[in-house]
Amino acid sequence: MRRPNALELFQAGMLVLLLASAIQGVMTLSSALSMKSRASATLEELRTFELGFKAANAIVEEREPLESALSENGAHDPARLDRLARRRSYTDLALNQFEQRAKDTGIASSMNFNFLRAQLKTERARGDALLAMPLTQRAVGLRMSVVRGMISASETIVPMLGIVSRRIEVADPNIGGKIAMVRLLASLNESAVRLPSEVLPFIAAGSTLPSDAQMQALRIVQRIYALWDVGGAQIVPAPDSRELIEAGESLRAAYFGKALPYISRQIERAASGYSRTVPPAQQIYDVYEPATKLIADMRDLYLDRMTSDAKAFSSQATMRMTASLLLTALILTLLPILAWNTFRQVLRPLLDFRQEILSVSERRITDSPVYTGSVPQVSSLFRALETLKERERERIVLDAERAALSERLRLLSVTDELTGLLNRRGFDAARDSGPPRSLAQTSDVALIALDIDHFKRVNDTYGHKAGDLVLQAISRVLDTEVGLTGIVARYGGEEFVVLLWNSELVETQMLTERLRARIERTAVPIGDGHGALRVTASFGVAFAAREGVDWTALHQYADEALYAAKAAGRNRVRITNRIVSKWSDSAKAARRNVEPSSIVNRS
């Protein structure tokens, strides 16, 4: 066996050294670049989140001067109106900044800014119209309608923040929990600010708190406690976060220890009719409002801390990347010149080839570097690589087309393309999956079947395009009113169904009547020189115990009630005696102090 000479040993040693150095440098640099890329992406997404968060907070804070102006003769107070105008300008500025940022980052197409602006414009116009009226003519119900409209605008921006939050989690999964905590604190603040808006107008008017306002206030209080139960123990991220610890302790003591129990007691008094024992609305607000600011301060402090941590991580990544670059350059520069030819002709092409193979295995197809060496074996490898890449590109295109088609078919199978609501199949699937966890404690369900009156006449008179516009308008009304408390679907043609998981009889009847009235008031612009079109709808309601419910029978009962509504003249709500007797026994009727026969005759 021939012993290798010194030159061969030297060349072999240099090759080993070169390979080891190159691999070490590539791995270190790749890790540093990945860390830097992740840190930069996280910071960019956090900037977007901060702008969206600022816009959401501005919409919430715009309600306070509006409510204050509505409760007093704000139309004759220039200072109050000027404050409201400044808050609106600030909201518009924050929203413009958020929208521009969304456009710059390519996510604006998934956010409906036009709808949000139209909603704000509508609610502001309603508020201005109410401000122009004398104080004595501003009924509490009108003021509450304007305030709840602004609250609805606040809820519209929440899904936009959800989109940005998911992008942050993709950029850095480790920060997902912190983002969730910031959003939890924001929800807690919004609920805390919303609570006095639901009750103080009635207290200020000296009237007994209506049952629906009382129930709404109780739901908000329960939500506040639920949010605190979920996030309270996790708010402080580390023992050394002295500011957060102190802010958390102040929040627990001032808000949950004093302010929230205080306003809860006043709500109970106002609901029970003892208005003389209830302090003035302004006094309640003065006690409660400072404590809510602690929630906002806690939220902002947590967001600032999270942003500071992300910036520190980015600086660390930059230092590591710089160190890796310098170390790699030093090692490669010190390699002996004798290995250069071998490196250029064989080793470097093979390393490039290795990276290309890894890229192909990860489906990251790039243009292959041009091999300029004279080694035929390496040249043949690169030719084979080009063939492999071309085949992989074809497979990627086919896989993407299959995935897009599969997702499209899935959505079409459960969604009504015209209205965006669930179709019959989607409704049945959502129904069979059961209620959300937050409603799991309820025991009864209600099914509302509704049908647009004389819809064929609309199509025959104005055309199917007008009919489509009517269907879309009705769908928006149903989706807005029902919200998260149930499921809305277009069941076929002009027929819709609503499934309510929490089906108290009186509340269900009130909701159904509200739907009927909103549809009757809805004006649908149909263009082509025609004025706005108005339609009505007939409703049938059926109830059942959720445990062991017979869905087929429940649908039959709802249809039976719907036919009764149409037979009675349309544009009304019907719950038949048969439905009530099937659902409600005498004990339930006694507990609600409502006779079934009186319920049946309501429309």
Side-chain angles (χ1 to χ4, degrees):
M1 181 178 181
R2 185 182 71 84
R3 296 178 59 186
N5 57 39
L7 179 59
E8 291 174 340
L9 289 175
F10 178 76
Q11 290 177 333
M14 294 304 299
L15 183 61
V16 171
L17 178 60
L18 177 63
L19 182 61
S21 299
I23 291 175
Q24 180 183 5
V26 168
M27 292 177 63
T28 304
L29 184 58
S30 175
S31 175
L33 287 172
S34 176
M35 181 178 176
K36 174 60 180 175
S37 176
R38 187 182 69 179
S40 299
T42 302
L43 272 179
E44 288 299 313
E45 298 300 342
L46 274 176
R47 292 189 184 99
T48 306
F49 182 79
E50 286 178 327
L51 290 175
F53 206 63
K54 176 182 175 183
N57 293 337
I59 296 175
V60 172
E61 292 169 0
E62 185 180 320
R63 297 205 308 264
E64 190 274 329
L66 175 61
E67 293 178 34
S68 177
L70 289 175
S71 64
E72 299 182 20
N73 204 358
H76 302 291
D77 188 349
R80 198 182 298 273
L81 294 179
D82 182 62
R83 181 167 170 242
L84 176 59
R86 288 198 305 271
R87 292 307 312 173
R88 288 177 174 178
S89 297
Y90 179 76
T91 299
D92 293 338
L93 176 61
L95 193 57
N96 287 338
Q97 291 175 341
F98 180 38
E99 182 177 12
Q100 185 58 49
R101 180 68 178 181
K103 290 179 180 178
D104 294 341
T105 55
I107 60 175
S109 59
S110 60
M111 300 178 179
N112 198 341
F113 283 98
N114 291 333
F115 175 75
L116 176 57
R117 292 182 189 279
Q119 191 176 17
L120 277 174
K121 182 179 179 181
T122 300
E123 300 306 329
R124 287 172 177 175
R126 291 177 62 209
D128 291 341
L130 196 56
L131 284 173
M133 297 169 58
L135 182 61
T136 56
Q137 297 181 13
R138 298 177 196 163
V140 176
L142 291 176
R143 283 186 275 164
M144 292 300 300
S145 175
V146 171
V147 171
R148 286 171 179 166
M150 290 300 298
I151 291 172
S152 177
S154 300
E155 295 170 348
T156 300
I157 201 172
V158 172
M160 300 182 183
L161 295 179
I163 294 173
V164 182
S165 298
R166 288 190 292 272
R167 287 172 62 90
I168 295 176
E169 293 174 5
V170 171
D172 186 358
N174 297 326
I175 207 172
K178 296 179 181 179
I179 287 293
M181 187 58 62
V182 171
R183 296 189 67 192
L184 183 146
L185 288 171
S187 297
L188 182 62
N189 178 67
E190 199 279 337
S191 297
V193 173
R194 180 177 179 179
L195 180 57
S197 302
E198 296 288 346
V199 296
L200 292 188
F202 296 99
I203 295 176
S207 60
T208 300
L209 193 64
S211 60
D212 60 337
Q214 179 189 6
M215 293 302 298
Q216 181 67 14
L218 291 177
R219 281 193 288 268
I220 294 174
V221 171
Q222 291 173 358
R223 173 175 170 79
I224 290 172
Y225 279 117
L227 288 171
W228 185 250
D229 288 342
V230 172
Q234 306 174 30
I235 284 180
V236 180
D240 61 344
S241 304
R242 174 52 51 188
E243 285 184 304
L244 289 174
I245 293 174
E246 293 176 352
E249 292 174 351
S250 299
L251 177 59
R252 288 186 180 93
Y255 185 77
F256 288 96
K258 297 179 181 179
L260 187 57
Y262 172 76
I263 198 172
S264 297
R265 288 195 300 272
Q266 309 315 320
I267 292 172
E268 293 175 0
R269 292 177 181 174
S272 61
Y274 298 110
S275 58
R276 289 176 296 178
T277 65
V278 180
Q282 187 60 46
Q283 179 179 333
I284 297 174
Y285 184 77
D286 290 340
V287 173
Y288 180 78
E289 191 269 343
T292 62
K293 292 189 179 299
L294 295 176
I295 303 176
D297 293 341
M298 185 75 180
R299 174 202 65 200
D300 296 339
L301 183 61
Y302 203 94
L303 180 61
D304 291 342
R305 179 64 181 267
M306 181 178 62
T307 304
S308 298
D309 291 344
K311 290 180 179 178
F313 180 76
S314 179
S315 298
Q316 181 184 3
T318 301
M319 293 177 60
R320 288 190 59 178
M321 184 183 69
T322 302
S324 299
L325 283 171
L326 293 175
L327 181 61
T328 302
L330 179 62
I331 293 174
L332 295 178
T333 301
L334 294 178
L335 290 176
I337 194 64
L338 294 177
W340 169 249
N341 186 60
T342 303
F343 175 78
R344 183 176 62 86
Q345 289 286 335
V346 179
L347 185 55
R348 184 170 62 185
L350 289 180
L351 289 175
D352 291 341
F353 185 82
R354 171 182 174 275
Q355 289 299 113
E356 293 298 319
I357 289 295
L358 290 176
S359 297
V360 173
S361 68
E362 297 172 358
R363 312 200 89 173
R364 294 185 292 107
I365 309 302
T366 59
D367 294 333
S368 300
V370 178
Y371 176 68
T372 58
S374 58
V375 180
Q377 292 84 353
V378 178
S379 179
S380 65
L381 285 177
F382 274 87
R383 288 196 300 271
L385 177 62
E386 278 301 317
T387 302
L388 177 63
K389 283 188 174 183
E390 187 60 33
R391 301 288 171 80
E392 190 61 26
R393 288 190 186 96
E394 295 173 358
R395 281 194 292 270
I396 290 174
V397 171
L398 290 175
D399 289 348
E401 292 175 350
R402 281 195 293 266
L405 179 59
S406 176
E407 179 63 16
R408 175 65 176 168
L409 291 175
R410 187 191 70 80
L411 290 176
L412 288 175
S413 69
V414 300
T415 305
D416 178 58
E417 187 173 2
L418 175 64
T419 64
L421 298 178
L422 294 175
N423 59 17
R424 181 178 295 213
R425 177 181 295 178
F427 175 81
D428 292 343
R431 177 197 68 192
D432 295 340
S433 66
R437 285 187 174 182
S438 61
L439 300 177
Q441 73 276 11
T442 60
S443 59
D444 301 317
V445 297
L447 183 67
I448 304 171
L450 63 134
D451 191 276
I452 302 175
D453 298 329
H454 303 299
F455 185 71
K456 184 176 183 299
R457 187 182 303 168
V458 174
N459 283 333
D460 294 343
T461 304
Y462 302 101
H464 287 278
K465 180 180 178 182
D468 291 346
L469 293 174
V470 170
L471 291 172
Q472 291 171 342
I474 299 300
S475 300
R476 288 193 293 271
V477 170
L478 297 175
D479 194 40
T480 300
E481 288 291 339
V482 175
L484 300 178
T485 61
I487 306 171
V488 182
R490 181 186 176 193
Y491 219 56
E494 67 271 25
E495 182 182 355
F496 298 82
V497 292
V498 177
L499 177 62
L500 300 177
W501 295 113
N502 189 0
S503 62
E504 291 294 334
L505 179 60
V506 176
E507 291 184 0
T508 301
Q509 186 180 9
M510 292 174 62
L511 172 62
T512 309
E513 180 59 30
R514 190 162 65 249
L515 290 173
R516 185 202 65 76
R518 276 206 59 186
I519 291 173
E520 186 178 19
R521 293 195 306 268
T522 299
V524 184
I526 59 175
D528 296 332
H530 300 290
L533 183 64
R534 296 179 183 271
V535 296
T536 61
S538 302
F539 293 76
V541 185
F543 299 90
R546 183 189 303 159
E547 194 68 30
V549 59
D550 185 344
W551 295 109
T552 301
L554 188 60
H555 278 272
Q556 291 175 350
Y557 291 149
D559 287 339
E560 175 185 326
L562 175 59
Y563 296 148
K566 285 186 173 293
R570 294 184 170 84
N571 190 24
R572 60 197 67 221
V573 178
R574 280 292 180 266
I575 310 174
T576 67
N577 285 315
R578 180 183 180 191
I579 291 172
V580 174
S581 64
K582 279 287 183 180
W583 173 74
S584 177
D585 55 19
S586 59
K588 288 184 178 179
R591 184 166 59 249
R592 291 171 174 78
N593 196 22
V594 176
E595 291 297 333
S597 60
S598 65
I599 297 173
V600 171
N601 294 329
R602 294 180 182 179
S603 61

